[in-house]
Amino acid sequence: MPQDARGTPLWEVELGPERPPLAANVRADVCVVGLGGSGLSAVRELRALGASVIGLEAGRVGWGAAGRNGGFLLAGLAPFYHEVVERVGRERARAMYALTMQELDRIATETPAGVSRHGSLRIAESEEELADCEQQFDALRADGFPVERYDGEQGRGLLVPGDGTFQPLVRCRTLAAQSLDAGATLHERSRVVDIRPGCVSTEHGAVHCDLVIVAVDGRLEQLLPELQYTVRSARLQMLATAPTREVHLAHPVYARWGFDYWQQRPDGTIAMGGARDLAETREWTTVAEPTDVVQGALERRLRETLGVHAPVTHRWAAIVGYTASGFPVIDEVRPGVWAIGGYCGTGNVVGSLLGRGLARWRVGGDDSLVRPFVHADD
Ligand SMILES: Cc1cc2nc3c(=O)[nH]c(=O)nc-3n(C[C@H](O)[C@H](O)[C@H](O)COP(=O)(O)OP(=O)(O)OC[C@H]3O[C@@H](n4cnc5c(N)ncnc54)[C@H](O)[C@@H]3O)c2cc1C
């Protein structure tokens, strides 16, 4: 493996002063566990609703997948739209998709730094996949959602014009700053070791509260073992290159049924992820380390498919939650203890939506942002 910053994501930025760990027994209306994009979105909404809120984070803000991902902002869920229609019916599928589109707009407005809206491509690499793109096209068009057929420099498939990319760690940092400004209390390096109705404990303190929101995607089933048959943690890996002008990729790409994905940043850097299925059994793990097998496959893809020879400067991995159904978890796991997660590798938009929506539902009494997602896999 060449010399590079193993384990350091492309997105690494200065997070600002560290928030002190929880070191006492305190009280708040709501305790949010996990300060990635989903948890922070919940925290901020809770403050907007006037609730007192304490957020607890094991590492630093955005230390999980939320600050180490591919940077795609995609409408919809992990399963393609026509599959969602088949599984939950047209009305519910349409409501889910529309809510994610609105959330994507909201992300671009609220935390605009690093957001680009150049659409995203789904590129087919076989006739079967191209036929599946046609089904996705028909289903999206039938429900009035924007989608184009694409046949161009980057391959054949679909263009979803409203999609985009962002700098994920910058969003986490911005959400944390906005939450603090709005009066939330955040504690970093405060790993939650026990969750009971009305009480969340870390090693050095506890939060007594009326409501607990656990917003942890990867390793959710470790924190809440009730979810061990619903959520399974997996590792996803990425690499990034030095800035290059060898190619000009106008759109981020989602290829080979979504298993592989890449984008070119405005400075020319290529960020590429995927190949999980090529080493699948070994990728069902909670060890967030890049491996030679997956990194080798990504590098071949970079060199052979894209023809890019720029040096690889970053390789990294993080853990996400998968559900067998493909739908995310939004569930009251213990009395007053709600969990969200299990986004199957596409949680940037839907995680933010569910974090905000759950806060609004449980504290504000308005379930309109989450209704289609509740018991979606029943
Ligand atoms: C390599 C990779 C590429 C991806 N690409 C994309 C993409 O392009 N588009 C997309 O939409 N999605 C993508 N995803 C998925 C996406 O990153 C996640 O679904 C999303 O970021 C989840 O955010 P979250 O806030 O729900 O959870 P997380 O990011 O998992 O945040 C949970 C936080 O909880 C903390 N935590 C965990 N346990 C405890 C505890 N016991 N006590 C306190 N804190 C705890 C963690 O440290 C973490 O900071 C990708 C993921 C990876 C790994």
Side-chain angles (χ1 to χ4, degrees), residues 34 36-38 57-58 64-66 69-72 192 217 238 261 343 345-348:
S38 313
E57 165 57 48
N69 63 64
F72 283 46
V192 168
D217 186 15
M238 295 200 67
Y261 39 94
Y343 307 113
T346 57
N348 285 335

Side-chain angles (χ1 to χ4, degrees), residues 27-378:
R27 169 124 205 115
D29 295 330
V30 187
C31 179
V32 175
V33 180
L35 299 178
S38 313
L40 287 164
S41 153
V43 168
R44 212 190 32 187
E45 186 68 18
L46 288 161
R47 282 306 301 139
L49 291 162
S52 59
V53 53
I54 295 177
L56 300 176
E57 165 57 48
R60 300 223 43 207
V61 158
W63 254 33
R68 304 172 73 84
N69 63 64
F72 283 46
L73 292 171
L74 306 174
L77 301 177
F80 294 118
Y81 185 66
H82 54 297
E83 294 168 39
V84 178
V85 171
E86 219 165 83
R87 305 252 291 279
V88 298
R90 207 164 154 185
E91 195 183 329
R92 201 166 178 184
R94 194 193 287 144
M96 288 174 171
Y97 198 87
L99 284 164
T100 60
M101 281 178 69
Q102 284 163 24
E103 190 67 20
L104 210 159
D105 287 342
R106 200 183 162 97
I107 289 171
T109 312
E110 281 175 353
T111 50
V115 174
S116 306
R117 302 287 292 274
H118 295 300
S120 75
L121 293 177
R122 177 183 172 197
I123 293 299
E125 297 197 334
S126 66
E127 287 307 314
E128 187 196 355
E129 198 174 358
L130 200 56
D132 197 69
C133 286
E134 274 301 305
Q135 287 187 43
Q136 186 182 352
F137 177 89
D138 290 343
L140 284 168
R141 276 287 174 98
D143 285 339
F145 293 123
V147 61
E148 311 288 336
R149 291 192 183 90
Y150 178 85
D151 187 353
E153 277 184 355
Q154 292 182 255
R156 286 179 77 192
L158 301 179
L159 170 67
V160 182
D163 286 351
T165 56
F166 73 150
Q167 210 290 20
L169 197 55
V170 165
R171 171 159 162 88
C172 290
R173 182 179 63 178
T174 309
L175 284 177
Q178 291 173 351
S179 301
L180 290 166
D181 286 347
T185 303
L186 307 181
H187 293 287
E188 295 180 294
R189 304 205 193 273
S190 302
R191 178 173 296 282
V192 168
V193 292
D194 188 49
I195 301 177
R196 290 166 200 229
C199 184
V200 178
S201 302
T202 67
E203 218 171 295
H204 301 292
V207 179
H208 296 274
C209 55
D210 302 324
L211 171 69
V212 182
I213 294 179
V214 180
V216 171
D217 186 15
R219 306 189 183 89
L220 180 59
E221 75 279 25
Q222 291 182 347
L223 195 54
L224 294 170
E226 292 94 326
L227 293 173
Q228 64 185 302
Y229 302 112
T230 310
V231 181
R232 191 173 182 197
S233 289
R235 173 170 58 204
L236 299 181
Q237 303 193 33
M238 295 200 67
L239 57 70
T241 68
T244 177
R245 296 291 164 211
E246 295 168 280
V247 290
H248 170 69
L249 306 180
H251 308 286
V253 170
Y254 208 56
R256 206 169 58 81
W257 305 93
F259 277 116
D260 298 336
Y261 39 94
W262 56 84
Q263 61 152 310
Q264 190 165 27
R265 301 296 298 159
D267 69 353
T269 296
I270 310 270
M272 173 178 273
R276 177 179 75 95
D277 56 316
L278 305 181
E280 189 158 9
T281 50
R282 271 173 287 178
E283 298 307 293
W284 292 115
T285 175
T286 54
V287 179
E289 286 286 327
T291 63
D292 288 348
V293 172
V294 170
Q295 290 293 322
L298 289 175
E299 201 162 334
R300 278 194 299 283
R301 179 69 125 154
L302 177 74
R303 309 292 183 220
E304 289 164 19
T305 309
L306 297 190
V308 167
H309 299 284
V312 172
T313 53
H314 296 74
R315 299 177 189 275
W316 72 95
I319 307 304
V320 297
Y322 277 78
T323 61
S325 66
F327 292 105
V329 170
I330 173 164
D331 217 354
E332 186 175 26
V333 177
R334 299 171 190 170
V337 178
W338 283 79
I340 49 173
Y343 307 113
C344 306
T346 57
N348 285 335
V349 177
V350 73
S352 203
L353 171 66
L354 294 191
R356 198 160 65 83
L358 184 58
R360 194 180 280 194
W361 180 24
R362 302 316 300 169
V363 172
D366 168 12
D367 71 349
S368 57
L369 296 181
V370 295
R371 197 180 312 126
F373 298 93
V374 177
H375 304 305
D377 55 349
D378 282 0

